[in-house]
Amino acid sequence: ALHEGHVVSAQELTVLLQPVFTQNSRNLILFLQDTLSIDDFTYLSESYGNKNPFQNEILQSSSSLVLPAVDCEATRYLLSFLQESGDWKLTNITNLDVSQLEVNTSKPNFLVIQLQPLVSGLNEISTLEAIAENGKQYDQAITNVSSFKSVFSLEQIVFPSSWIPRRTDVVGELRRQLMATEEEGSLSYPPLNVTTGNYICILFYASNFSLKANSSVFIDLTNATFVTQNVDISSSECSDINTTLSLKYTKPVNGISSLEIRFLMTNKFYGGSARNWSSLDAVEIVQDGEKFAKFNVSAISAPAEYSFHCQLVGTSNLYPARLIPSNNEAKNWDVFISRLQIQGFNVENNQFSYASDCTGFFTPGIWMGLVTSIVLLWILAYGIHVIMQLTTNSRFDDPKGPALSVPQTE
């Protein structure tokens, strides 16, 4: 029994699900959706008529495990644990296409199907529509996998990787707490590294690495890049002046056969600071070997001996480090990278060097405090000046004498 407010850790989640994993001759399907909460199964499933997103018969007849809260790193730990286990054939599916799936019946199979996460800031109706769309994808996956019913004994696990309440007035507070927890913890998985000989020349890490093509096709590359490392980095190049991190993916989503993302970095000497600085100059996206998108990069630089870190990097105007489209094809892409850390030069001891953060010393909050303080000090100084200009009478009426007469000139 878990009390309310208890946050289930990654190790505890593994122990809770261990009875399911240890069943002999079982084939399991794990559905993952970020920002899914228990309210989605109750409130939204009964509110809007024929749009009910959780009316699948298999799902309704399944047993359930309801947890009060799950640590945000538990999902990645669980996938890493299953990947290291030799008893499972782990298959990570992001495009719900199982038509070419090869099933090895000699040992249990484990399918991990990642549903699209909800976009933050959605209103109630938009949230319903987004979850209903994921419900359709769930039904589609069950229909496709049912073709393997001769070898699959379908056992399903559906749980959120993070818990977000339906009340919008506490979302900001909870998000701040989650971010604080994430910052205190260590990396949930090791960074991607590129080696030349016996030395690592490029290190790359992100807690979320995703793209959106034509404002409709969502591509999450986080697990493929860092967890399963189902990415080709053989085209990456390293030198003392120019470094290129090349990430090639095969069929990242349905409709895209190949996708290559390049990070172009340079190392230059600047006389003003009398030292070398490394900078990320451009990001390039090549789709299917034909469509080429290029982004210029702003505010991503650091001393050559340091790594670079930024909380949010992408195409949005609100991010501190922006990717600015430099051709028409780039306008069709949206890029989102959270907690980016990258180092392309002077990697020592096979780990990141001290990180230069994209947030400057004078943050917007500091500027607001300074401006407010200056205004208040100006008001105080003006008030003191006005008080000092006040004068009092130097002569007074004598009740026993004649009335005091003050000429206008005085």
Side-chain angles (χ1 to χ4, degrees), residues 34 94-95 114-119 137 208-222 252-254 256 333-336:
D34 197 14
T94 58
N95 56 1
Q114 300 190 21
L115 301 177
Q116 294 188 8
L118 302 182
V119 179
Q137 296 178 0
N208 191 332
F209 182 28
S210 57
L211 312 173
K212 182 176 286 188
N214 300 317
S215 301
S216 58
V217 181
F218 181 80
I219 310 172
D220 190 351
L221 303 174
T222 308
V253 293
N254 193 19
I256 298 179
W333 290 89
D334 293 323
V335 182
F336 173 75

Side-chain angles (χ1 to χ4, degrees), residues 195-208:
T195 60
T196 55
N198 297 326
Y199 299 97
I200 294 178
C201 60
I202 303 176
L203 289 173
F204 175 64
Y205 174 84
S207 63
N208 191 332

Side-chain angles (χ1 to χ4, degrees), residues 56-69:
N56 185 280
E57 295 181 359
I58 298 179
L59 181 61
Q60 290 183 336
S61 61
S62 302
S63 59
S64 62
L65 171 63
V66 180
L67 305 177

Side-chain angles (χ1 to χ4, degrees), residues 191-192 201-206 243-245 247 262-265 278-280 282-283 300-304 306-310 313 337 339-345 347 352-356:
L192 180 71
C201 60
I202 303 176
L203 289 173
F204 175 64
Y205 174 84
T243 294
T244 300
L245 172 61
L247 308 174
R262 306 190 194 112
F263 295 84
L264 281 66
M265 295 172 282
S278 63
S279 61
L280 178 61
V283 175
I300 297 186
S301 62
Y306 294 174
S307 64
F308 175 82
H309 174 270
C310 195
V313 177
I337 308 176
R339 292 185 64 188
L340 168 72
Q341 188 166 3
I342 189 170
Q343 184 173 357
F345 304 95
V347 177
F352 281 115
S353 303
Y354 177 83
S356 175

Side-chain angles (χ1 to χ4, degrees), residues 308-347:
F308 175 82
H309 174 270
C310 195
Q311 189 66 35
L312 292 174
V313 177
T315 51
S316 173
N317 295 330
L318 302 178
Y319 296 163
R322 286 193 59 207
L323 304 182
I324 305 172
S326 63
N327 61 2
N328 292 330
E329 181 63 28
K331 297 178 181 178
N332 298 326
W333 290 89
D334 293 323
V335 182
F336 173 75
I337 308 176
S338 64
R339 292 185 64 188
L340 168 72
Q341 188 166 3
I342 189 170
Q343 184 173 357
F345 304 95
N346 303 314
V347 177

Side-chain angles (χ1 to χ4, degrees), residues 5-302:
H6 177 74
V7 179
V8 178
S9 65
Q11 291 78 6
E12 289 175 332
L13 181 63
T14 304
V15 173
L16 289 172
L17 298 179
Q18 194 66 36
V20 181
F21 297 149
T22 56
Q23 296 183 38
N24 296 327
S25 301
R26 292 289 183 138
N27 298 275
L28 305 180
I29 307 176
L30 173 64
F31 289 91
L32 295 179
Q33 178 182 325
D34 197 14
T35 68
L36 183 67
S37 73
I38 193 62
D39 289 345
D40 299 328
F41 291 89
T42 55
Y43 176 73
L44 291 179
S45 63
E46 301 176 355
S47 300
Y48 296 97
N50 57 3
K51 290 186 178 181
N52 297 351
F54 300 109
Q55 298 300 321
N56 185 280
E57 295 181 359
I58 298 179
L59 181 61
Q60 290 183 336
S61 61
S62 302
S63 59
S64 62
L65 171 63
V66 180
L67 305 177
V70 179
D71 188 86
C72 56
E73 306 295 343
T75 302
R76 298 190 183 99
Y77 177 86
L78 178 63
L79 293 179
S80 178
F81 171 80
L82 295 173
Q83 182 72 23
E84 296 173 358
S85 174
D87 299 332
W88 296 95
K89 181 180 183 298
L90 182 64
T91 304
N92 200 335
I93 302 175
T94 58
N95 56 1
L96 302 178
D97 183 10
V98 296
S99 60
Q100 300 179 352
L101 180 65
E102 297 180 0
V103 178
N104 184 4
T105 58
S106 61
K107 60 181 180 180
N109 294 269
F110 199 105
L111 301 184
V112 179
I113 299 179
Q114 300 190 21
L115 301 177
Q116 294 188 8
L118 302 182
V119 179
S120 60
L122 294 178
N123 56 34
E124 190 173 283
I125 302 298
S126 300
T127 301
L128 170 66
E129 294 176 350
I131 295 179
E133 181 64 27
N134 278 355
K136 294 179 182 179
Q137 296 178 0
Y138 172 85
D139 294 336
Q140 176 186 355
I142 291 296
T143 303
N144 292 339
V145 175
S146 64
S147 60
F148 299 104
K149 60 184 178 182
S150 58
V151 295
F152 266 78
S153 175
L154 296 181
E155 296 287 344
Q156 305 162 62
I157 306 170
V158 184
F159 67 92
S161 59
S162 59
W163 188 83
I164 303 296
R166 181 64 53 200
R167 291 180 55 196
T168 58
D169 57 336
V170 297
V171 169
E173 179 181 356
L174 179 57
R175 180 58 182 166
R176 288 192 294 271
Q177 294 173 356
L178 288 178
M179 290 299 296
T181 303
E182 293 174 2
E183 292 296 335
E184 291 174 359
S186 60
L187 301 183
S188 56
Y189 38 73
L192 180 71
N193 62 76
V194 178
T195 60
T196 55
N198 297 326
Y199 299 97
I200 294 178
C201 60
I202 303 176
L203 289 173
F204 175 64
Y205 174 84
S207 63
N208 191 332
F209 182 28
S210 57
L211 312 173
K212 182 176 286 188
N214 300 317
S215 301
S216 58
V217 181
F218 181 80
I219 310 172
D220 190 351
L221 303 174
T222 308
N223 288 327
T225 305
F226 303 104
V227 180
T228 62
Q229 294 194 356
N230 187 20
V231 57
D232 181 10
I233 58 176
S234 60
S235 298
S236 300
E237 300 177 355
C238 295
S239 71
D240 294 335
I241 300 176
N242 297 303
T243 294
T244 300
L245 172 61
S246 175
L247 308 174
K248 293 183 179 180
Y249 306 88
T250 302
K251 292 184 178 180
V253 293
N254 193 19
I256 298 179
S257 60
S258 65
L259 186 67
E260 181 181 6
I261 303 175
R262 306 190 194 112
F263 295 84
L264 281 66
M265 295 172 282
T266 60
N267 181 15
K268 296 181 181 180
F269 178 80
Y270 291 87
S273 58
R275 69 185 307 170
N276 284 58
W277 285 73
S278 63
S279 61
L280 178 61
D281 297 330
V283 175
E284 299 174 349
I285 301 176
V286 182
Q287 176 187 344
D288 300 328
E290 299 177 354
K291 298 181 180 180
F292 176 78
K294 183 176 181 180
F295 299 87
N296 294 326
V297 182
S298 67
I300 297 186
S301 62

